[in-house]
Amino acid sequence: MWSTVFLRVVTIEPGVTVFLDSAKAIEIRGTIVARGTESDSIKFKPWKAGKPWGYILFAQAAASATFGTDNSYASGCIMEYCSIREGGGSTAKYG
């Protein structure tokens, strides 16, 4: 399984579709900010229909989300209004 590793901040804008090839994965060791909207979601799907991709893994080094006193997003990893389709999954161990 090949992974794309995010070590810094990656922002995915509303309306974007992320296509992943079969047996590919996303590993987050930094920050992912994927904040779609109710009317303009972010989609993660296979490059070819019926050929599942791997997984999205938040490694131990991924930045935890933080929120303000009014519960509004402040920083760290967040995925809102994201559609994740046809991922194949995997088992990963981190020590």
mmCIF file of all heavy atoms in Angstrom, residues 61-84:
data_model
loop_
_atom_site.group_PDB
_atom_site.id
_atom_site.type_symbol
_atom_site.label_atom_id
_atom_site.label_comp_id
_atom_site.label_asym_id
_atom_site.label_seq_id
_atom_site.Cartn_x
_atom_site.Cartn_y
_atom_site.Cartn_z
ATOM 1 N N ALA A 61 1.334 11.674 15.196
ATOM 2 C CA ALA A 61 1.899 13.017 15.037
ATOM 3 C C ALA A 61 0.897 14.012 14.449
ATOM 4 O O ALA A 61 1.204 15.193 14.319
ATOM 5 C CB ALA A 61 3.144 12.958 14.150
ATOM 6 N N ALA A 62 -0.311 13.569 14.080
ATOM 7 C CA ALA A 62 -1.317 14.479 13.527
ATOM 8 C C ALA A 62 -1.730 15.487 14.595
ATOM 9 O O ALA A 62 -1.818 15.168 15.775
ATOM 10 C CB ALA A 62 -2.533 13.696 13.037
ATOM 11 N N ALA A 63 -1.983 16.717 14.157
ATOM 12 C CA ALA A 63 -2.356 17.791 15.079
ATOM 13 C C ALA A 63 -3.805 17.644 15.528
ATOM 14 O O ALA A 63 -4.717 17.585 14.706
ATOM 15 C CB ALA A 63 -2.154 19.143 14.407
ATOM 16 N N SER A 64 -4.028 17.556 16.822
ATOM 17 C CA SER A 64 -5.385 17.455 17.365
ATOM 18 C C SER A 64 -6.141 18.752 17.131
ATOM 19 O O SER A 64 -5.571 19.845 17.206
ATOM 20 C CB SER A 64 -5.335 17.161 18.865
ATOM 21 O OG SER A 64 -4.740 15.919 19.103
ATOM 22 N N ALA A 65 -7.429 18.635 16.861
ATOM 23 C CA ALA A 65 -8.262 19.823 16.676
ATOM 24 C C ALA A 65 -8.448 20.542 18.007
ATOM 25 O O ALA A 65 -8.552 19.909 19.051
ATOM 26 C CB ALA A 65 -9.618 19.429 16.106
ATOM 27 N N THR A 66 -8.460 21.846 17.941
ATOM 28 C CA THR A 66 -8.771 22.657 19.118
ATOM 29 C C THR A 66 -9.926 23.589 18.775
ATOM 30 O O THR A 66 -10.105 23.979 17.620
ATOM 31 C CB THR A 66 -7.561 23.491 19.590
ATOM 32 O OG1 THR A 66 -7.141 24.351 18.530
ATOM 33 C CG2 THR A 66 -6.402 22.603 20.002
ATOM 34 N N PHE A 67 -10.701 23.927 19.789
ATOM 35 C CA PHE A 67 -11.887 24.752 19.598
ATOM 36 C C PHE A 67 -11.898 25.875 20.617
ATOM 37 O O PHE A 67 -11.404 25.725 21.734
ATOM 38 C CB PHE A 67 -13.151 23.887 19.742
ATOM 39 C CG PHE A 67 -13.245 22.829 18.682
ATOM 40 C CD1 PHE A 67 -12.641 21.598 18.858
ATOM 41 C CD2 PHE A 67 -13.905 23.073 17.493
ATOM 42 C CE1 PHE A 67 -12.701 20.616 17.879
ATOM 43 C CE2 PHE A 67 -13.969 22.108 16.500
ATOM 44 C CZ PHE A 67 -13.369 20.870 16.698
ATOM 45 N N GLY A 68 -12.476 27.002 20.223
ATOM 46 C CA GLY A 68 -12.578 28.157 21.112
ATOM 47 C C GLY A 68 -13.655 27.951 22.160
ATOM 48 O O GLY A 68 -14.377 26.955 22.161
ATOM 49 N N THR A 69 -13.793 28.922 23.040
ATOM 50 C CA THR A 69 -14.772 28.828 24.120
ATOM 51 C C THR A 69 -16.207 28.780 23.583
ATOM 52 O O THR A 69 -17.101 28.290 24.254
ATOM 53 C CB THR A 69 -14.629 30.008 25.094
ATOM 54 O OG1 THR A 69 -14.729 31.229 24.362
ATOM 55 C CG2 THR A 69 -13.299 29.945 25.822
ATOM 56 N N ASP A 70 -16.423 29.269 22.369
ATOM 57 C CA ASP A 70 -17.760 29.227 21.759
ATOM 58 C C ASP A 70 -17.928 27.992 20.869
ATOM 59 O O ASP A 70 -18.847 27.912 20.065
ATOM 60 C CB ASP A 70 -18.017 30.500 20.960
ATOM 61 C CG ASP A 70 -17.028 30.673 19.811
ATOM 62 O OD1 ASP A 70 -16.051 29.903 19.718
ATOM 63 O OD2 ASP A 70 -17.252 31.576 18.989
ATOM 64 N N ASN A 71 -17.011 27.017 21.007
ATOM 65 C CA ASN A 71 -17.006 25.762 20.242
ATOM 66 C C ASN A 71 -16.725 25.951 18.754
ATOM 67 O O ASN A 71 -17.005 25.068 17.961
ATOM 68 C CB ASN A 71 -18.307 24.973 20.433
ATOM 69 C CG ASN A 71 -18.380 24.359 21.807
ATOM 70 O OD1 ASN A 71 -17.363 24.009 22.401
ATOM 71 N ND2 ASN A 71 -19.585 24.244 22.346
ATOM 72 N N SER A 72 -16.166 27.092 18.368
ATOM 73 C CA SER A 72 -15.787 27.286 16.969
ATOM 74 C C SER A 72 -14.382 26.711 16.749
ATOM 75 O O SER A 72 -13.530 26.740 17.635
ATOM 76 C CB SER A 72 -15.818 28.767 16.597
ATOM 77 O OG SER A 72 -14.881 29.478 17.369
ATOM 78 N N TYR A 73 -14.156 26.179 15.551
ATOM 79 C CA TYR A 73 -12.866 25.584 15.210
ATOM 80 C C TYR A 73 -11.752 26.621 15.331
ATOM 81 O O TYR A 73 -11.886 27.742 14.866
ATOM 82 C CB TYR A 73 -12.929 25.030 13.783
ATOM 83 C CG TYR A 73 -11.591 24.654 13.217
ATOM 84 C CD1 TYR A 73 -10.950 23.477 13.608
ATOM 85 C CD2 TYR A 73 -10.962 25.463 12.291
ATOM 86 C CE1 TYR A 73 -9.716 23.133 13.091
ATOM 87 C CE2 TYR A 73 -9.731 25.119 11.765
ATOM 88 C CZ TYR A 73 -9.116 23.955 12.166
ATOM 89 O OH TYR A 73 -7.893 23.616 11.646
ATOM 90 N N ALA A 74 -10.630 26.234 15.948
ATOM 91 C CA ALA A 74 -9.486 27.139 16.097
ATOM 92 C C ALA A 74 -8.281 26.652 15.295
ATOM 93 O O ALA A 74 -7.674 27.421 14.558
ATOM 94 C CB ALA A 74 -9.114 27.292 17.573
ATOM 95 N N SER A 75 -7.911 25.365 15.445
ATOM 96 C CA SER A 75 -6.735 24.852 14.734
ATOM 97 C C SER A 75 -6.718 23.320 14.792
ATOM 98 O O SER A 75 -7.526 22.706 15.482
ATOM 99 C CB SER A 75 -5.447 25.408 15.343
ATOM 100 O OG SER A 75 -5.294 24.916 16.662
ATOM 101 N N GLY A 76 -5.748 22.721 14.076
ATOM 102 C CA GLY A 76 -5.581 21.268 14.078
ATOM 103 C C GLY A 76 -6.369 20.587 12.979
ATOM 104 O O GLY A 76 -6.950 21.233 12.114
ATOM 105 N N CYS A 77 -6.379 19.261 13.011
ATOM 106 C CA CYS A 77 -7.055 18.469 11.984
ATOM 107 C C CYS A 77 -8.567 18.565 12.112
ATOM 108 O O CYS A 77 -9.113 18.446 13.212
ATOM 109 C CB CYS A 77 -6.660 16.995 12.094
ATOM 110 S SG CYS A 77 -4.945 16.659 11.675
ATOM 111 N N ILE A 78 -9.213 18.774 10.973
ATOM 112 C CA ILE A 78 -10.676 18.800 10.953
ATOM 113 C C ILE A 78 -11.147 18.375 9.566
ATOM 114 O O ILE A 78 -10.533 18.722 8.555
ATOM 115 C CB ILE A 78 -11.227 20.189 11.332
ATOM 116 C CG1 ILE A 78 -12.745 20.135 11.515
ATOM 117 C CG2 ILE A 78 -10.805 21.242 10.330
ATOM 118 C CD1 ILE A 78 -13.324 21.348 12.213
ATOM 119 N N MET A 79 -12.213 17.595 9.545
ATOM 120 C CA MET A 79 -12.872 17.203 8.303
ATOM 121 C C MET A 79 -14.368 17.384 8.519
ATOM 122 O O MET A 79 -14.971 16.684 9.318
ATOM 123 C CB MET A 79 -12.537 15.756 7.936
ATOM 124 C CG MET A 79 -11.067 15.555 7.618
ATOM 125 S SD MET A 79 -10.637 13.844 7.222
ATOM 126 C CE MET A 79 -11.337 13.709 5.581
ATOM 127 N N GLU A 80 -14.947 18.372 7.835
ATOM 128 C CA GLU A 80 -16.372 18.659 7.943
ATOM 129 C C GLU A 80 -17.008 18.566 6.566
ATOM 130 O O GLU A 80 -16.419 19.001 5.576
ATOM 131 C CB GLU A 80 -16.612 20.067 8.466
ATOM 132 C CG GLU A 80 -16.200 20.295 9.890
ATOM 133 C CD GLU A 80 -16.480 21.723 10.313
ATOM 134 O OE1 GLU A 80 -16.020 22.656 9.635
ATOM 135 O OE2 GLU A 80 -17.159 21.885 11.336
ATOM 136 N N TYR A 81 -18.200 18.028 6.510
ATOM 137 C CA TYR A 81 -18.930 17.889 5.261
ATOM 138 C C TYR A 81 -18.062 17.231 4.192
ATOM 139 O O TYR A 81 -17.906 17.741 3.091
ATOM 140 C CB TYR A 81 -19.477 19.235 4.780
ATOM 141 C CG TYR A 81 -20.554 19.773 5.677
ATOM 142 C CD1 TYR A 81 -20.279 20.769 6.591
ATOM 143 C CD2 TYR A 81 -21.849 19.262 5.622
ATOM 144 C CE1 TYR A 81 -21.266 21.263 7.439
ATOM 145 C CE2 TYR A 81 -22.840 19.749 6.467
ATOM 146 C CZ TYR A 81 -22.543 20.745 7.366
ATOM 147 O OH TYR A 81 -23.520 21.224 8.198
ATOM 148 N N CYS A 82 -17.491 16.092 4.569
ATOM 149 C CA CYS A 82 -16.672 15.289 3.654
ATOM 150 C C CYS A 82 -17.373 13.969 3.384
ATOM 151 O O CYS A 82 -17.896 13.333 4.303
ATOM 152 C CB CYS A 82 -15.294 15.010 4.255
ATOM 153 S SG CYS A 82 -14.275 16.480 4.436
ATOM 154 N N SER A 83 -17.371 13.558 2.137
ATOM 155 C CA SER A 83 -17.930 12.274 1.734
ATOM 156 C C SER A 83 -16.756 11.357 1.398
ATOM 157 O O SER A 83 -15.960 11.666 0.505
ATOM 158 C CB SER A 83 -18.829 12.481 0.511
ATOM 159 O OG SER A 83 -19.205 11.244 -0.042
ATOM 160 N N ILE A 84 -16.648 10.239 2.111
ATOM 161 C CA ILE A 84 -15.537 9.310 1.917
ATOM 162 C C ILE A 84 -16.124 8.010 1.375
ATOM 163 O O ILE A 84 -16.851 7.312 2.078
ATOM 164 C CB ILE A 84 -14.762 9.093 3.228
ATOM 165 C CG1 ILE A 84 -14.244 10.441 3.738
ATOM 166 C CG2 ILE A 84 -13.631 8.093 3.030
ATOM 167 C CD1 ILE A 84 -13.668 10.403 5.125
#
